[in-house]
Amino acid sequence: MNIRPVKGVIDRVVNGVAAIVPDDRTREIYVAAADIPGAREGLHVDLVIIPQDNPNAVCPVLGRKPPRPPKPQKIRNFASLVRQMIKTRDRLRATREELGEETGGETDDLQEKIDWLDKGIALFS
């Protein structure tokens, strides 16, 4: 029995047959779409097949390598951002206390900014 590993992309799926274009640009290989879960155009595949003498014959699939799960995104360190947010919040609090109850509109704006900074600090801490 002759087996061959094939890595490539599904070019098209017609009548339950998937046409795979190998990465090494050799001739198209035809396999049953039922042998590849979720077979669709553009899907990258890594298969082991039994090549047929007839180039238009459907090749049986012996095995397939499942696609790798995507890597999780790295979370950056937000320590410097949080420190800066704490400093800004403290400055705004000092400004609000300095103003007192003199101007209502300004203190409301300062309080809104302080509330947003508190939410941000809680989010990134």
Side-chain angles (χ1 to χ4, degrees):
M1 175 171 27
N2 195 10
I3 61 172
R4 177 180 169 207
V6 175
K7 289 184 181 180
V9 178
I10 296 178
D11 184 44
R12 62 189 176 280
V13 178
V14 179
N15 296 331
V17 176
I20 300 173
V21 177
D23 289 342
D24 60 1
R25 295 294 183 200
T26 55
R27 66 175 178 84
E28 279 187 339
I29 297 169
Y30 302 103
V31 298
D35 292 341
I36 306 170
R40 59 177 161 63
E41 187 177 312
L43 179 70
H44 292 276
V45 292
D46 189 358
L47 307 171
V48 177
I49 63 164
I50 299 174
Q52 301 295 314
D53 294 331
N54 181 357
N56 294 327
V58 176
C59 301
V61 176
L62 292 178
R64 66 174 189 81
K65 189 174 183 181
R68 287 184 177 170
K71 292 182 181 179
Q73 292 182 347
K74 292 184 180 180
I75 299 174
R76 295 187 177 122
N77 185 354
F78 290 108
S80 60
L81 173 66
V82 172
R83 278 193 308 267
Q84 188 63 38
M85 291 169 76
I86 290 170
K87 287 179 185 178
T88 304
R89 180 192 62 189
D90 293 342
R91 264 189 259 132
L92 290 174
R93 281 183 180 166
T95 304
R96 184 189 63 195
E97 289 172 7
E98 188 176 293
L99 288 175
E101 294 296 324
E102 295 174 8
T103 55
E106 252 183 71
T107 55
D108 291 341
D109 291 341
L110 287 174
Q111 186 58 45
E112 185 178 353
K113 290 177 184 178
I114 291 168
D115 292 341
W116 277 105
L117 285 169
D118 285 336
K119 288 179 186 177
I121 291 167
L123 179 66
F124 291 108
S125 296

